[in-house]
Amino acid sequence: MASSPSFPLVGIVLVLSLLYLVLLVLLEANVASSALLASLHHHHQFHKRKPSLQTNGTKCDLYTGSWVRDTSYPLYQYSSCPIIDAEFNCQMYGRPDSDYQRFRWKPTNCELPRFDGVAFLLRMRGKKVMFVGDSLGRNQWESLICMIYASVSQSQTQLIRGEPLSTFNFLDYGVSILFYRAPYLVDIDIVQGKRILKLDEIDENANMWKGVDVLSFNSGHWWTHVGGLQGWDYIQQGGAYFSNMDRLAAFDSGMTTWAKWVDANVDTTKTRVFFQAISPTHYDPSEWSSPVSKNCYGETEPVSGWIYAGAYPDQMRVVRAVLREMSNPTYLLDITTLSALRKDAHPSIYSGDLGPQQRANPDRSADCSHWCLPGLPDTWNQLFYTALFF
């Protein structure tokens, strides 16, 4: 009869069996965890409307916070970016102060991830990001290009300026950052020398938005323009023509046409859709304490705290209502309030578009609508980056 194995050998076999079982359980758990993370990432990537980060068990609203001074900013220098338009290039055109570049947005319960241009390009390799809208969208488009370029300044790039489409290509990564000018989003045509704003039609513009991986829209400011700044002669709606109509009602109709197009034409499992909230202006110094002029001219510090005393833009009521009714999820980049605190960040008179006489009269000529670069739109893009990848 064969002898029984010794006790130490039996013990070793049992230990090895237990170790194998433990490793098997851990492996299965890891696979399940990876699948769960992938599922959560997919859900966050394409279906998350409310921006938040998870920190220490507490959800953090990215858009509630305050501005803090940070000497590690700005993220790039105006002289090293190849694309800043004269109207945004405040330092080049003589702005004497630069502290407005050194503020970082600090959400109340978390920290924003620091922008990483190389990471952006690697994650978006072979893809297209398109900004669609007015000059505030162009402000953000140029900011994003500057932020990325600062990380890969030796890479091959290509700029194609056009109207209505401009494209900046990071050739080594196959990434295109585009801007399509469409201030109303809906179509505007010239008929017998008259500009016709068509509230029910969008295909002429929208055909250029297809096949893009990330779409970021903005609109709102041009709808309220009057006089020489008004961009249309007649409004067409439902076959009728109007020389004027309630501006918010017109904006609502145009936004509804846009929303229907997105719902019908954008596959949100393949394309991320953003809408940039209304960018505030600073032409009324009664909205902040201790003003130094009749508008944003001469302002060098943000409004302190996190509450802005000025009026919330009426257009935001329209934006929020339209986004709520959409069947396809559109991410609201809710920059209105945090931007309202930045009365210091506008070009004012430090714009290449202004002549000497205009600069001598800032009460009438200061630009308190757009933003200097480097500057506030860099924070918009840091939030955009966070919403895309975190």
Side-chain angles (χ1 to χ4, degrees):
M1 180 181 294
S3 61
S4 300
S6 64
F7 176 77
L9 180 59
V10 173
I12 290 170
V13 171
L14 287 173
V15 169
L16 288 174
S17 299
L18 287 172
L19 283 173
Y20 174 78
L21 289 173
V22 169
L23 287 171
L24 185 63
V25 170
L26 287 174
L27 180 61
E28 290 176 348
N30 186 57
V31 170
S33 176
S34 298
L36 177 60
L37 286 172
S39 174
L40 287 173
H41 175 70
H42 182 272
H43 178 79
H44 177 88
Q45 186 174 8
F46 296 112
H47 301 288
K48 191 161 183 64
R49 286 177 180 265
K50 184 64 176 176
S52 63
L53 290 178
Q54 195 83 20
T55 57
N56 298 324
T58 302
K59 283 189 176 180
C60 169
D61 181 355
L62 300 182
Y63 303 109
T64 300
S66 59
W67 291 97
V68 296
R69 193 177 297 272
D70 189 331
T71 56
S72 71
Y73 282 67
L75 300 177
Y76 58 91
Q77 299 298 321
Y78 77 91
S79 56
S80 64
C81 182
I83 198 173
I84 303 175
D85 283 336
E87 63 190 287
F88 310 141
N89 207 335
C90 306
Q91 291 293 305
M92 176 174 283
Y93 288 96
R95 179 160 178 169
D97 62 302
S98 59
D99 279 356
Y100 67 90
Q101 300 177 350
R102 297 182 177 89
F103 284 93
R104 171 174 55 84
W105 178 247
K106 171 66 174 70
T108 302
N109 295 320
C110 64
E111 293 284 350
L112 287 179
R114 192 171 179 88
F115 185 88
D116 185 329
V118 173
F120 186 99
L121 291 172
L122 290 174
R123 294 189 184 209
M124 296 301 297
R125 187 185 289 275
K127 298 185 183 296
K128 295 180 180 179
V129 178
M130 179 183 284
F131 294 90
V132 179
D134 57 27
S135 53
L136 277 308
R138 181 162 54 89
N139 221 170
Q140 185 177 1
W141 172 67
E142 294 183 10
S143 162
L144 181 60
I145 291 167
C146 292
M147 293 169 74
I148 298 171
Y149 186 83
S151 299
V152 292
S153 58
Q154 303 304 311
S155 295
Q156 294 287 323
T157 61
Q158 177 190 46
L159 172 61
I160 305 170
R161 288 275 192 183
E163 182 62 38
L165 180 65
S166 293
T167 304
F168 195 96
N169 294 313
F170 290 91
L171 298 173
D172 294 342
Y173 297 86
V175 175
S176 297
I177 314 293
L178 307 99
F179 172 68
Y180 186 93
R181 184 180 180 275
Y184 301 101
L185 301 182
V186 293
D187 294 339
I188 183 166
D189 290 335
I190 305 296
V191 179
Q192 297 181 356
K194 300 296 183 181
R195 300 164 299 176
I196 310 299
L197 178 60
K198 299 182 174 182
L199 299 184
D200 304 325
E201 298 181 24
I202 198 170
D203 285 343
E204 184 176 326
N205 283 331
N207 283 333
M208 299 293 293
W209 309 339
K210 295 179 178 179
V212 177
D213 301 284
V214 180
L215 281 166
S216 178
F217 295 92
N218 88 287
S219 187
H221 282 274
W222 279 63
W223 295 87
T224 62
H225 288 172
V226 296
L229 295 176
Q230 181 175 296
W232 47 265
D233 297 299
Y234 293 97
I235 294 175
Q236 179 182 345
Q237 184 178 36
Y241 293 85
F242 306 90
S243 59
N244 203 357
M245 69 186 310
D246 180 88
R247 302 308 178 86
L248 284 180
F251 181 44
D252 181 75
S253 294
M255 281 289 296
T256 299
T257 297
W258 165 82
K260 289 179 178 177
W261 181 88
V262 171
D263 282 342
N265 293 277
V266 177
D267 181 352
T268 53
T269 65
K270 298 178 180 178
T271 300
R272 295 288 305 274
V273 183
F274 290 78
F275 198 93
Q276 182 200 97
I278 302 299
S279 175
T281 62
H282 290 95
Y283 289 103
D284 183 359
S286 68
E287 295 179 350
W288 59 87
S289 61
S290 304
V292 299
S293 71
K294 294 184 178 180
N295 50 41
C296 68
Y297 172 70
E299 295 293 342
T300 59
E301 295 279 344
V303 175
S304 61
W306 59 275
I307 297 175
Y308 186 67
Y312 193 66
D314 289 336
Q315 301 99 308
M316 279 305 300
R317 289 190 282 110
V318 172
V319 170
R320 290 183 181 279
V322 170
L323 294 188
R324 277 197 303 269
E325 295 300 315
M326 293 178 70
S327 57
N328 279 343
T330 294
Y331 188 109
L332 178 64
L333 199 71
D334 196 4
I335 52 86
T336 302
T337 299
L338 66 89
S339 301
L341 301 174
R342 294 306 307 275
K343 59 183 172 61
D344 60 316
H346 295 285
S348 180
I349 64 168
Y350 305 107
S351 165
D353 293 336
L354 298 184
Q357 290 185 332
Q358 291 173 303
R359 291 184 179 227
N361 189 8
D363 290 352
R364 294 179 58 86
S365 60
D367 179 356
C368 301
S369 297
H370 299 106
W371 308 92
C372 297
L373 295 179
L376 175 66
D378 305 333
T379 295
W380 299 351
N381 282 317
Q382 195 174 0
L383 291 160
F384 182 55
Y385 174 79
T386 302
L388 275 173
F389 303 130
F390 292 89

